[in-house]
Amino acid sequence: MLKTESPERPDALTWAFLALGVLLLPVGLYLALAAPPDVNQGYLVRIMYLHVPGAWLGYLAFFVTFLYSLLYLFRQNPRYDRLARASAEIGLVFMGLSLVTGMLWARPTWGVYWTWEPRLTTTAILFAVYVGYFLLRGAIEDPELRAKAAAAVGVLGFINVPISYMSVKWWRSLHQTQSIDLTTGKVHMAPEMLQVLLFHLVVFTLLYLGLVRFRGFLAALEDRREEA
Amino acid sequence: MRRVWLLAFRDLRLEMRDRFGLLSVSAFLGIMLFVMALALGPEEGPLRRAAPGVLWVALAFMSTLLSTRAFALEVEDGTLEDLLLAPGGKEWIYLGKLLFQMLLLLPMGVLALLVVGGLFYLPLERGFALFLTLGLGMLGYASVATFYAGLLSRLRGREVLLPLLLFSLVVPVVLSAVRATVGLLEGLPGDEVAGWWRLLLVFDVVYLTTSTLLFPLVMEG
């Protein structure tokens, strides 16, 4: 994403993404709080506006990590490694947000914070895989070996993403099935709620793009420092 | 293909000559199962219910111990570089090591199965079906374990890192293997367990192909 090898400061696009994301986030929160309550869940449904985009961006981020890890393995360009790492980091944050909001929602709905059902379990595993990704990075001194090993984890770990996404279908579990089913293209949601959800999705995507670009820039600075 | 067999049999012969590794792993397996049985027993019901889970946890620990041995000798003797210098692709190194791992793991797995059968009242009548589950599960586990063992072989903290990385990644394999074993234990008909076998097979194919493709990329340089 960052074109120059060693930029002095983040470029305009990065700032634009970040600024738009930060500015639109309160708007999104206002819309979420103004959205109509659900027939079954009442006001609790509002957690979904954070929960679903968080999970999606987590998946997306890990997919980006997967792509850049593959690219790194073939091209050995340190830039790809930096972006893979940046995306994994932001992905962990979004995944974490999704897990926490999910738990807050589960307590009043299911009566417990955590239960060992497939969606929750596979998501927790996914989270653990990428925590392992950073443990591995921290353990290796040699930058080239570190990048290679991390890339291998980034590629292999991604296998868990489709498993996690499909788990609600495969195991017919307690967790809601997808509101917007990507495999069939069906939408099970009232239009006014869908609009708010999509708005949040856009805001989160903007934030994600800005944060990844910014993190990639920081990583470039760190690398330069390590070399010097 | 011939190289794969040669490498696997050379490693197997070295392992047999040494014996220390295999002995310590089987001792570990025995003690672990024994302690688990003590902790969960002595009633038959709870033991029987815990049997599939205990079996697969034991197998997972055991294969982690064994997988570090796949590349440990090569690094100690400095022969890994020689292997990598051999002309042609590098996939055969991975496949040879994997074959070696499977040749060690399957007999050890059968041993574990027998011990669990004895200590946890796991019925062994459907021996073939159990063995099939064992083979599929172990293959999925070993394909990732061997890959990581190769990747981390030149690292100092590999004994700690390996399980950390491995366990989170192979949980789907362990889960479906446990489910299949539970199904067999409860006496479900074959076609109901077959779903889990298919899932295991999918994992095996996916992990095996990705690892085989990634291995040369990671080991070079």
Side-chain angles (χ1 to χ4, degrees):
Chain A
M1 287 183 196
L2 291 172
K3 287 284 176 291
T4 45
E5 269 304 323
S6 50
E8 281 307 314
R9 53 178 64 83
D11 56 352
L13 201 55
T14 309
W15 287 125
F17 280 141
L18 274 179
L20 264 178
V22 170
L23 283 178
L24 288 180
L25 192 62
V27 182
L29 289 178
Y30 172 76
L31 282 179
L33 290 175
D38 186 72
V39 193
N40 300 318
Q41 301 176 23
Y43 292 110
L44 257 182
V45 77
R46 286 170 180 167
I47 289 180
M48 174 201 60
Y49 299 119
L50 289 180
H51 178 70
V52 175
W56 275 34
L57 262 295
Y59 290 151
L60 177 78
F62 295 147
F63 178 65
V64 171
T65 301
F66 166 74
L67 278 187
Y68 276 108
S69 298
L70 264 189
L71 268 176
Y72 179 81
L73 284 178
F74 282 108
R75 299 271 163 79
Q76 321 273 320
N77 185 340
R79 201 165 64 93
Y80 296 141
D81 176 54
R82 288 201 292 270
L83 286 170
R85 169 176 30 152
S87 188
E89 232 174 75
I90 311 299
L92 261 185
V93 174
F94 278 117
M95 229 11 152
L97 176 75
S98 187
L99 278 172
V100 169
T101 49
M103 277 153 86
L104 291 179
W105 178 88
R107 172 71 192 175
T109 316
W110 297 337
V112 283
Y113 284 112
W114 190 261
T115 156
W116 290 107
E117 66 92 50
R119 192 33 134 11
L120 274 65
T121 313
T122 47
T123 313
I125 294 166
L126 195 62
F127 196 77
V129 168
Y130 287 90
V131 170
Y133 178 88
F134 286 104
L135 278 177
L136 181 72
R137 294 200 76 103
I140 306 179
E141 295 274 329
D142 175 29
E144 224 173 281
L145 182 62
R146 177 174 59 208
K148 263 186 199 165
V153 179
V155 172
L156 277 174
F158 182 70
I159 296 171
N160 277 322
V161 169
I163 297 176
S164 170
Y165 182 75
M166 292 306 289
S167 58
V168 280
K169 277 197 154 180
W170 288 348
W171 283 283
R172 300 173 184 285
S173 62
L174 196 60
H175 192 282
Q176 267 78 358
T177 47
Q178 296 95 338
S179 303
I180 303 167
D181 194 332
L182 290 181
T183 50
T184 55
K186 283 196 193 110
V187 178
H188 318 279
M189 197 185 272
E192 57 266 42
M193 286 159 86
L194 184 67
Q195 280 162 14
V196 180
L197 181 65
L198 288 181
F199 185 82
H200 262 279
L201 194 63
V202 172
V203 174
F204 272 39
T205 313
L206 284 172
L207 272 177
Y208 165 75
L209 287 173
L211 286 171
V212 166
R213 292 175 71 96
F214 195 75
R215 185 66 185 88
F217 161 74
L218 285 182
L221 287 188
E222 279 168 15
D223 279 5
R224 220 183 321 162
R225 188 139 179 200
E226 206 172 293
E227 275 166 31
Chain B
M1 197 57 218
R2 204 171 140 262
R3 280 178 177 182
V4 174
W5 286 102
L6 276 179
L7 185 63
F9 281 114
R10 184 207 64 173
D11 279 351
L12 201 60
R13 196 176 306 147
L14 284 176
E15 196 65 49
M16 287 301 161
R17 240 181 243 163
D18 189 17
R19 273 195 299 268
F20 173 71
L22 273 182
L23 275 178
S24 57
V25 170
S26 27
F28 169 78
L29 193 70
I31 288 175
M32 185 184 152
L33 288 173
F34 191 70
V35 170
M36 292 260 226
L38 270 181
L40 295 166
E43 288 89 20
E44 191 178 328
L47 278 180
R48 195 188 279 265
R49 207 161 330 127
V54 168
L55 173 70
W56 281 97
V57 170
L59 287 176
F61 282 162
M62 179 193 76
S63 46
T64 316
L65 275 182
L66 277 178
S67 66
T68 46
R69 300 191 63 81
F71 286 91
L73 270 181
E74 307 280 2
V75 173
E76 256 172 52
D77 302 342
T79 45
L80 185 60
E81 306 305 321
D82 302 340
L83 274 184
L84 289 171
L85 277 177
K90 309 274 177 282
E91 291 87 357
W92 63 276
I93 303 178
Y94 169 72
L95 291 174
K97 292 291 181 192
L98 180 62
L99 183 64
F100 159 66
Q101 286 282 303
M102 285 307 285
L103 288 177
L104 282 184
L105 281 173
L106 282 180
M108 296 296 285
V110 173
L111 181 72
L113 206 59
L114 291 178
V115 177
V116 172
L119 289 177
F120 290 82
Y121 307 98
L122 182 78
L124 298 174
E125 295 98 66
R126 301 169 79 178
F128 178 71
L130 276 175
F131 187 72
L132 183 66
T133 316
L134 190 76
L136 285 173
M138 290 276 84
L139 181 61
Y141 200 95
S143 52
V144 185
T146 312
F147 176 74
Y148 273 141
L151 179 66
L152 302 178
S153 58
R154 285 173 270 196
L155 230 66
R156 250 177 299 133
R158 57 175 176 270
E159 283 84 2
V160 189
L161 264 180
L162 192 66
L164 271 179
L165 287 174
L166 253 180
F167 285 146
S168 50
L169 205 60
V170 293
V171 163
V173 173
V174 176
L175 260 176
S176 22
V178 169
R179 288 279 150 225
T181 319
V182 169
L184 289 175
L185 179 73
E186 286 170 351
L188 290 183
D191 42 323
E192 274 184 53
V193 184
W196 293 109
W197 284 338
R198 263 198 299 279
L199 196 60
L200 273 176
L201 195 65
V202 170
F203 283 134
D204 288 357
V205 171
V206 170
Y207 283 138
L208 191 61
T209 34
T210 9
S211 306
T212 315
L213 292 176
L214 283 180
F215 188 79
L217 291 172
V218 180
M219 293 308 280
E220 239 149 308

